[in-house]
Amino acid sequence: MNIEEIGQEIVEEFSMFDDWMDKYNYLIELGRDLEIIDEKYRDQQHLITGCQSRVWLSAEEKEGRIYFKADSDAVITKGIVNLLIRALSGQTAEDIINDKLDFLEQIGLKDHLSPTRANGLSSMVKQMKLYALAFKAKKG
Amino acid sequence: MDIQNIRNQFPILSRKVNNKPLIYLDNSATTQKPQSVIDAVSNYYTQINSNVHRGVHQLSQLATDAFEEARKSVQEFINAKEHHEVIITKGTTESINMLAWSFGEAFIKEGDEILVSEMEHHANIVPWQMLCERKKAKLKVIAVDENGVLKMQEFANLLNSNTKIVSIAHISNTLGTINPIKEIIDKAHKLGALVHIDGAQAVAHTALDMQELDVDFYSFSAHKMYGPMGIGIFYGKEQLLNKMPPYQYGGEMIDQVSFTKTTFNELPYKFEAGTPNVGGMLGLQAAIKFLSDIGLDQIKTYEDELLNYATLELQKIEGFRMIGNSPHKASVLSFLLDEIHPFDAGTILDQLGIAVRTGNHCAQPIMDKMGIPGTIRASLAIYNTTEEIDALILGIKKTQQMFL
Ligand SMILES: Cc1ncc(COP(=O)(O)O)c(C=O)c1O
């Protein structure tokens, strides 16, 4: 599936919730389900700085696609990290660079990605796109 | 005291957040503004806006008079001896930077020592740190115990004849601790050291008297005492300020012809380069009137009751851990809930319309000392009620359930 299709799937999942509590309970669940990141990536080098909740991100390329792993010390942040990884990990550099993550707006979580929120998510997305740019440049 | 009547003066308190009535418990970050303050700023711009101290025309004269009257209101409010000891800045941060730079130029040399405490806000750490780097002076830090109380014995031990200045918060923004500033001032003076008090968290909660305290310098921000943002005060004793060089330059660039008097080299203008925030100053004056009309003693009594109520009730919650248990506290309730990350708790409380602050509160050293990444902080003001505390408690319980 491409990013847009995954985004649509996420929007459908969230459409089942009719109040904010259910939505946040689900995010907490997603946060807890996030695949545990290798301890070696939870270091200064992978840390996205300047946030209240800390976010760690690592990326690798396999056969023209980029795979991300990430973690956070706050569960809600981790829940959103889970969604971002689900949408962006395993996609091509081109798609990652160009996608606008519209699904977040549709599920009412766009605010969480605002650069003025100190949760590190906006920097994380920026970092993901930078990785994609770097891989693309390397490939030439 | 009629709290409902006080609440009614704050238009923002009747708005909703996330479709819930706003419960504003982030008063240490900034307080809300009563209508009288909003009106004072608005009236300034609708009636007398013009630049001060320079025009000969009517409006400029009106603005200048109003501005200088407002300075006198501040003087009276903090009982400073002279009105020119009241320097107008943009806030506490600028006041401390001005002090650290200007005092440093005049008085600090290699080997001198400067004392701060572990509970300081970054604004009362970094300017001193930079000064020490510039002048090869030493920054010494007074430790805080596990309850968040300043170790006074350690203070006495650190104080010596090399100590040039002691700079301490009146009230900690993270722990709520009220420091024994009179004792600190007296002890420092005995050894020839001067004292600056960071009063950012104190002005809205306790009456101030510069002469009785005999403090050398005192800083605060209008926006934390119901006044506008972008205006603050730096108080200093005249004889000290006279020995200190200006922090910024710019007054000289103005055309001499439009001066009615050339007073820029005198206090307080020597420290007020550029066009000041006149509207903000008139807002501060209105905030002072708001505080004085209620009376700071009344305010303190009410807020202490509220703080005691909140402290007692919050501590009944399982998994609640208060950070900062000084017997002398004001306004601040900093805490952790079980293993819940403060950011997660803050996010859920926000959904419930409850505004609290989370994080390290610009006081990273004290967080490191306590071994925690940050806290959730509820901070009180005169318009908060026991019903709001009850709502916070319910919100906390709901939050805990969600992360169970
Ligand atoms: C103790 C203390 N000092 C200094 C400051 C800085 O104040 P301002 O941001 O108004 O300059 C604050 C604000 O949070 C504070 O709480």
Side-chain angles (χ1 to χ4, degrees):
Chain A
M1 278 197 284
N2 63 28
I3 303 178
E4 206 168 309
E5 286 159 354
I6 297 170
Q8 245 5 81
E9 197 182 77
I10 292 171
V11 170
E12 271 163 42
E13 270 169 39
F14 274 79
S15 69
M16 300 182 325
F17 307 129
D18 38 34
D19 78 352
W20 70 269
M21 282 257 285
D22 291 342
K23 186 161 92 184
Y24 277 85
N25 274 324
Y26 185 54
L27 277 178
I28 292 167
E29 205 177 296
L30 288 175
R32 292 191 169 136
D33 286 350
L34 184 67
E35 192 186 339
I36 291 171
I37 193 172
D38 204 347
E39 203 48 47
K40 71 173 188 239
Y41 294 121
R42 280 182 69 129
D43 62 4
Q44 213 51 38
Q45 201 198 326
H46 295 89
L47 181 68
I48 313 244
T49 50
C51 337
Q52 279 190 36
S53 57
R54 293 185 294 172
V55 174
W56 295 269
L57 175 71
S58 76
E60 61 177 357
E61 191 218 31
K62 257 188 273 171
E63 293 156 12
R65 288 173 183 269
I66 302 170
Y67 295 84
F68 295 105
K69 283 196 175 155
D71 198 358
S72 171
D73 53 356
V75 180
I76 294 176
T77 307
K78 241 165 112 165
I80 300 169
V81 164
N82 190 332
L83 296 175
L84 289 169
I85 299 258
R86 187 165 141 199
L88 297 181
S89 188
Q91 305 292 340
T92 63
E94 196 68 36
D95 283 356
I96 293 166
I97 294 162
N98 293 328
D99 196 83
K100 301 240 177 339
L101 298 169
D102 289 332
F103 72 90
L104 285 167
E105 173 125 43
Q106 294 177 49
I107 60 176
L109 292 176
K110 190 84 179 176
D111 295 359
H112 284 276
L113 247 69
S114 148
T116 55
R117 277 247 171 170
N119 59 9
L121 286 170
S122 142
S123 310
M124 174 178 154
V125 171
K126 201 184 282 169
Q127 194 60 43
M128 287 170 124
K129 292 191 179 243
L130 282 176
Y131 273 128
L133 272 172
F135 284 124
K136 195 179 155 202
K138 212 168 65 186
K139 235 172 38 186
Chain B
M1 201 174 340
D2 184 354
I3 296 301
Q4 196 49 51
N5 175 36
I6 290 173
R7 287 184 72 81
N8 291 343
Q9 297 176 44
F10 289 79
I12 207 170
L13 294 180
S14 52
R15 70 157 286 169
K16 292 196 165 177
V17 165
N18 288 321
N19 295 319
K20 312 271 183 341
L22 168 65
I23 294 178
Y24 187 77
L25 296 172
D26 193 17
N27 294 289
S28 292
T30 197
T31 56
Q32 298 303 345
K33 322 301 172 199
Q35 191 63 50
S36 60
V37 168
I38 299 167
D39 286 347
V41 176
S42 159
N43 286 342
Y44 167 71
Y45 287 108
T46 40
Q47 303 287 335
I48 60 171
N49 174 55
S50 61
N51 215 324
V52 289
H53 299 129
R54 37 197 84 166
V56 289
H57 58 82
Q58 176 78 22
L59 277 189
S60 173
Q61 205 52 56
L62 283 174
T64 305
D65 289 348
F67 184 68
E68 291 304 328
E69 267 316 304
R71 190 193 305 274
K72 287 190 180 131
S73 299
V74 176
Q75 178 201 354
E76 214 174 284
F77 182 63
I78 63 173
N79 194 28
K81 190 151 171 250
E82 307 288 345
H83 62 88
H84 52 256
E85 292 176 325
V86 174
I87 313 289
I88 293 151
T89 65
K90 71 183 166 70
T92 310
T93 304
E94 189 179 51
S95 299
I96 303 176
N97 275 280
M98 180 183 287
L99 169 66
W101 192 86
S102 181
F103 179 83
E105 284 306 294
F107 296 109
I108 298 293
K109 53 183 195 326
E110 188 169 342
D112 284 346
E113 295 179 9
I114 294 168
L115 269 184
V116 296
S117 91
E118 254 175 357
M119 70 173 90
E120 300 311 314
H121 187 281
H122 296 163
N124 194 29
I125 300 176
V126 186
W128 301 114
Q129 221 165 27
M130 295 299 126
L131 168 61
C132 287
E133 271 181 26
R134 276 198 312 274
K135 299 280 177 177
K136 300 198 175 67
K138 278 189 228 131
L139 188 66
K140 297 274 176 94
V141 185
I142 310 160
V144 164
D145 72 13
E146 64 284 358
N147 286 322
V149 177
L150 207 58
K151 291 187 174 166
M152 288 302 281
Q153 188 53 49
E154 188 167 318
F155 165 64
N157 296 343
L158 286 171
L159 199 61
N160 66 57
S161 58
N162 292 327
T163 314
K164 286 288 162 345
I165 191 163
V166 181
S167 186
I168 302 279
H170 192 161
I171 297 177
S172 155
N173 69 313
T174 323
L175 308 166
T177 310
I178 306 175
N179 286 316
I181 59 167
K182 184 61 187 151
E183 190 185 336
I184 291 170
I185 293 163
D186 291 346
K187 288 206 164 121
H189 283 173
K190 278 211 183 86
L191 278 163
L194 300 177
V195 178
H196 164 255
I197 299 295
D198 171 356
Q201 294 300 337
V203 267
H205 306 291
T206 186
L208 293 177
D209 186 329
M210 295 300 115
Q211 295 184 70
E212 192 194 307
L213 279 173
D214 194 26
V215 66
D216 303 292
F217 305 102
Y218 196 102
S219 304
F220 57 93
S221 303
H223 73 94
K224 292 181 197 283
M225 52 181 288
Y226 311 102
M229 288 187 171
I231 195 93
I233 298 297
F234 169 51
Y235 160 84
K237 283 182 183 163
E238 176 174 13
Q239 108 265 12
L240 292 168
L241 293 178
N242 273 333
K243 288 183 193 148
M244 289 158 46
Y247 172 57
Q248 288 179 336
Y249 304 90
E252 298 91 334
M253 327 255 266
I254 296 150
D255 189 0
Q256 293 280 344
V257 201
S258 49
F259 286 111
T260 46
K261 259 202 286 182
T262 309
T263 49
F264 275 93
N265 291 326
E266 287 173 15
L267 285 176
Y269 309 111
K270 143 178 156 184
F271 289 106
E272 294 176 359
T275 297
N277 182 354
V278 183
M281 196 56 192
L282 300 185
L284 170 57
Q285 184 180 37
I288 287 174
K289 184 164 184 326
F290 168 79
L291 285 165
S292 308
D293 284 351
I294 305 172
L296 271 153
D297 293 335
Q298 298 269 75
I299 291 174
K300 186 163 170 28
T301 307
Y302 176 77
E303 288 182 351
D304 282 350
E305 274 170 28
L306 199 59
L307 183 71
N308 287 340
Y309 175 78
T311 306
L312 274 175
E313 293 302 314
L314 285 165
Q315 272 165 341
K316 289 180 190 161
I317 300 173
E318 210 174 316
F320 178 93
R321 178 176 158 213
M322 186 82 83
I323 306 295
N325 291 295
S326 166
H328 305 288
K329 268 182 76 167
S331 153
V332 174
L333 298 144
S334 227
F335 56 91
L336 290 170
L337 299 173
D338 307 300
E339 300 297 312
I340 303 172
H341 194 288
F343 194 81
D344 284 330
T347 303
I348 299 302
L349 291 172
D350 173 54
Q351 289 293 323
L352 294 164
I354 303 172
V356 294
R357 173 111 185 245
T358 62
N360 66 29
H361 318 296
C362 300
Q364 220 169 312
I366 189 71
M367 295 290 131
D368 292 345
K369 156 95 179 198
M370 301 255 171
I372 53 178
T375 70
I376 306 152
R377 182 186 71 185
S379 49
L380 311 174
I382 186 63
Y383 41 67
N384 289 126
T385 62
T386 49
E387 288 78 18
E388 288 180 307
I389 301 297
D390 294 340
L392 171 67
I393 289 166
L394 270 179
I396 286 174
K397 289 182 174 162
K398 203 168 236 177
T399 305
Q400 286 176 314
Q401 273 166 14
M402 288 184 73
F403 290 96
L404 211 61

